[in-house]
Amino acid sequence: MKFAIFLIVFGAGFIDSTSAAGQPHPNILFVIADQWRSQAFGFAGDPNARTPNLDAFERECVDFTQAVSGLPVCSPTRASLLTGQRPQTHGVFLNDVPLAPNAVTIAKVLKAAGYDTGCIGKWHVDGHGSRSAFIPRERRQGFDYWKVLECTHEYNNSAYFGDTPEKLVWEGYDAIAQTRDAQGFLRVHAKSNRSFLLWLAWGPPHNPYDTAPAKYRAMYSPQQIHLRPNVPESARAQARNDLAGYYAHCAALDDCFGELLRTLEETGLTTNTIVVFTSDHGDMLWSQDQQRKQRPWEESARVPLLFRLPAAFGTKPQRLDATINTEDVMPTLLRLAGVSIPTSVEGLDFSGSVRGGADPSGGATVLRCISPFGEFIRKRGGREYRALRTTRYTYARDLSGPWLLYDNQADPDQLRNLVGKPEYAELQARLEKRLREKLASQHDEFLPGPEYVKRWGYTVDADETVRVQP
């Protein structure tokens, strides 16, 4: 109810756009992988990664090297990417809860500006009790072309729905089939005079790690995997096995991405298409003896965020250390496309940074865990936290007080926690003050997780987890 009132009061207003009059809006191809951490690319220096297509693409892009997932879990991130809002505003701070059907989303805004809209692959913002249920048009958040499933990790037996409740199945490994379908969408729209937004969401490299096509799995031997220094000895054998499969998925997706780029080139769409590549969150993969996501450590919270802009924009490929967050992506894209930003949006517009201007965040952003759930439940060390992520430091506190402090420049593997060390007391106090200022400006009360669950009326089990049918 609170969210609906917010939209009625604020959602109708728009900030003036700076687009040039009479210029066609650029197309947007938005590609999002699931659980692909920012470190796992050749261009990021990972000796294991075989990502030649993305490595070449990165050299043509604005690469936000400090991009983070504000709440590094699937559903919250996707809802924030769609709405430009933080999780405590749109309410999707748990997996498997629904984004309000009347949310103001990037697809609705672009559709109102004359765009065709398409979504292919994973959705995961329509939690209504089942991850394999048909999603009716009124809950598709502005997307018209639709080949989607709420969520599955059966990549070789992957279902989806179109416009009817008939369940269909992607042929073979779903990311390859979804990419082919996206290529078809691009070829059709190359013949149209209407701009488009295509949202392509792959399920890998999210676990299970051993299900990539055989030719990609054959590329990796666990014994040859180079481990990050923060993987403890006790977890190294399992980490090598998991990482071999993880990188196999990544290699498969890199080939898929290369096919998309070739189709853009062949159809002439490259000249007027913004291409974005990102991920919803990372994967610990046994770094810090941790698994999966939802944590404030770099392997979980940092994500790839690459923007390739048409030559007409006049921007140069570059690596930016601006601290961009999930909710900032929507307003940045809208501004780059010359489309008005709804006043419901909370994120910052980084289009000026792309063009050589200042970092609108002031060099710091916030990471959150509003309610620990899933794999980060309390009995496994899960906790609510708020963290300040600057270009150099990660500082986190939980409800009991300061928890983590890392100098990511001097200690990129986060091996030395500086919290409570007398020689860093002044730094810790400064970061604490800045975090509190950020939370106050964002109206974040930092309450216990059950308080937010109660406010939004969600039904969770003893582990604060929403139980759903697969």
Side-chain angles (χ1 to χ4, degrees):
M1 181 61 74
K2 289 181 180 179
F3 183 72
I5 293 170
F6 178 87
L7 290 177
I8 292 168
V9 175
F10 296 104
F14 292 88
I15 301 170
D16 289 339
S17 170
T18 58
S19 62
Q23 295 298 313
H25 293 300
N27 307 308
I28 300 173
L29 172 59
F30 191 94
V31 182
I32 178 170
D34 192 342
Q35 211 160 284
W36 196 337
R37 64 191 189 185
S38 69
Q39 299 85 4
F41 297 86
F43 66 77
D46 189 327
N48 303 296
R50 300 181 190 180
T51 52
N53 292 298
L54 280 156
D55 295 347
F57 177 72
E58 190 265 351
R59 293 192 291 271
E60 302 173 339
C61 287
V62 176
D63 178 354
F64 286 96
T65 63
Q66 302 301 310
V68 298
S69 174
L71 200 168
V73 184
C74 186
S75 297
T77 297
R78 291 162 195 267
S80 289
L81 288 170
L82 288 167
T83 64
Q85 296 178 326
R86 289 180 282 274
Q88 65 267 40
T89 300
H90 58 60
V92 185
F93 52 86
L94 302 167
N95 272 353
D96 301 303
V97 297
L99 181 62
N102 59 352
V104 178
T105 67
I106 187 170
K108 291 176 183 176
V109 173
L110 290 176
K111 187 174 177 179
Y115 277 67
D116 287 340
T117 59
C119 185
I120 300 169
K122 180 176 178 177
W123 188 232
H124 214 179
V125 290
D126 190 64
H128 282 83
S130 172
R131 289 183 169 185
S132 60
F134 174 69
I135 300 172
R137 182 174 293 273
E138 63 270 17
R139 300 209 303 264
R140 296 179 190 174
Q141 302 295 349
F143 288 101
D144 288 327
Y145 185 86
W146 186 259
K147 291 189 176 180
V148 166
L149 191 73
E150 174 69 1
C151 179
T152 184
H153 297 299
E154 292 187 62
Y155 305 131
N156 296 289
N157 184 28
S158 177
Y160 71 94
F161 293 97
D163 289 327
T164 71
E166 179 188 4
K167 184 176 286 189
L168 306 169
V169 177
W170 295 109
E171 180 181 356
Y173 185 68
D174 62 358
I176 294 175
Q178 290 159 1
T179 300
R180 288 176 183 151
D181 198 79
Q183 291 174 276
F185 180 99
L186 295 174
R187 292 187 183 106
V188 168
H189 283 79
K191 303 172 185 177
S192 171
N193 60 2
R194 289 170 62 91
S195 301
F196 65 80
L197 164 68
L198 176 58
W199 187 284
L200 173 59
W202 293 319
H206 188 292
N207 55 296
Y209 303 118
D210 59 352
T211 58
K215 78 171 193 175
Y216 297 104
R217 285 186 279 116
M219 294 167 61
Y220 290 96
S221 166
Q223 291 72 33
Q224 296 175 339
I225 294 294
H226 296 268
L227 295 177
R228 293 174 66 79
N230 55 18
V231 177
E233 187 64 38
S234 61
R236 292 195 161 209
Q238 185 63 56
R240 286 192 174 93
N241 283 327
D242 289 350
L243 282 160
Y246 184 80
Y247 287 115
H249 280 309
C250 294
L253 297 183
D254 182 75
D255 275 355
C256 289
F257 195 75
E259 291 298 317
L260 289 171
L261 296 182
R262 280 185 280 277
T263 300
L264 289 173
E265 193 66 34
E266 291 165 2
T267 57
L269 287 170
T270 299
T271 58
N272 194 38
T273 300
I274 298 171
V275 184
V276 179
F277 176 82
T278 191
S279 175
D280 54 358
H281 50 78
D283 192 333
M284 294 301 297
L285 283 159
W286 300 101
S287 287
Q288 312 290 350
D289 204 21
Q290 301 282 320
Q291 297 183 67
R292 316 290 189 253
K293 57 272 191 179
Q294 210 171 350
R295 282 79 166 164
W297 287 285
E298 292 285 88
E299 293 85 357
S300 165
R302 286 263 308 286
V303 292
L305 183 59
L306 309 176
F307 279 61
R308 190 179 77 176
L309 304 175
F313 279 60
T315 56
K316 296 180 180 180
Q318 57 186 308
R319 291 182 174 180
L320 290 181
D321 63 3
T323 51
I324 189 170
N325 209 322
T326 311
E327 66 267 18
D328 306 322
V329 174
M330 175 198 181
T332 301
L333 265 178
L334 290 178
R335 184 69 76 184
L336 289 170
V339 176
S340 298
I341 300 172
T343 56
S344 57
V345 166
E346 296 174 316
L348 302 172
D349 168 21
F350 280 74
S351 63
S353 298
V354 168
R355 296 184 170 105
D359 176 354
S361 74
T365 193
V366 176
L367 304 173
R368 296 177 165 82
C369 176
I370 292 176
S371 179
F373 66 92
E375 294 161 331
F376 197 51
I377 57 176
R378 297 183 194 278
K379 61 189 176 187
R380 296 180 191 158
R383 63 190 76 185
E384 301 92 333
Y385 66 79
R386 302 293 187 270
L388 188 77
R389 179 65 170 69
T390 76
T391 54
R392 180 166 181 175
Y393 298 105
T394 298
Y395 169 68
R397 64 177 297 117
D398 60 23
L399 290 171
S400 300
W403 173 29
L404 301 173
L405 171 57
Y406 295 109
D407 182 339
N408 299 321
Q409 189 177 99
D411 179 22
D413 295 305
Q414 298 183 318
L415 293 168
R416 188 178 180 219
N417 185 4
L418 306 177
V419 159
K421 296 187 180 298
E423 62 270 36
Y424 294 97
E426 183 180 347
L427 171 64
Q428 181 175 319
R430 188 166 71 247
L431 294 173
E432 170 71 19
K433 180 175 183 291
R434 198 169 183 188
L435 175 59
R436 289 183 181 275
E437 289 170 349
K438 283 280 188 183
L439 296 182
S441 70
Q442 296 175 7
H443 310 290
D444 186 341
E445 303 168 89
F446 193 5
L447 301 173
E451 290 295 320
Y452 295 99
V453 170
K454 182 179 178 181
R455 285 184 181 185
W456 285 86
Y458 296 143
T459 300
V460 298
D461 63 16
D463 292 330
E464 299 174 47
T465 299
V466 177
R467 295 299 176 193
V468 294
Q469 295 296 316

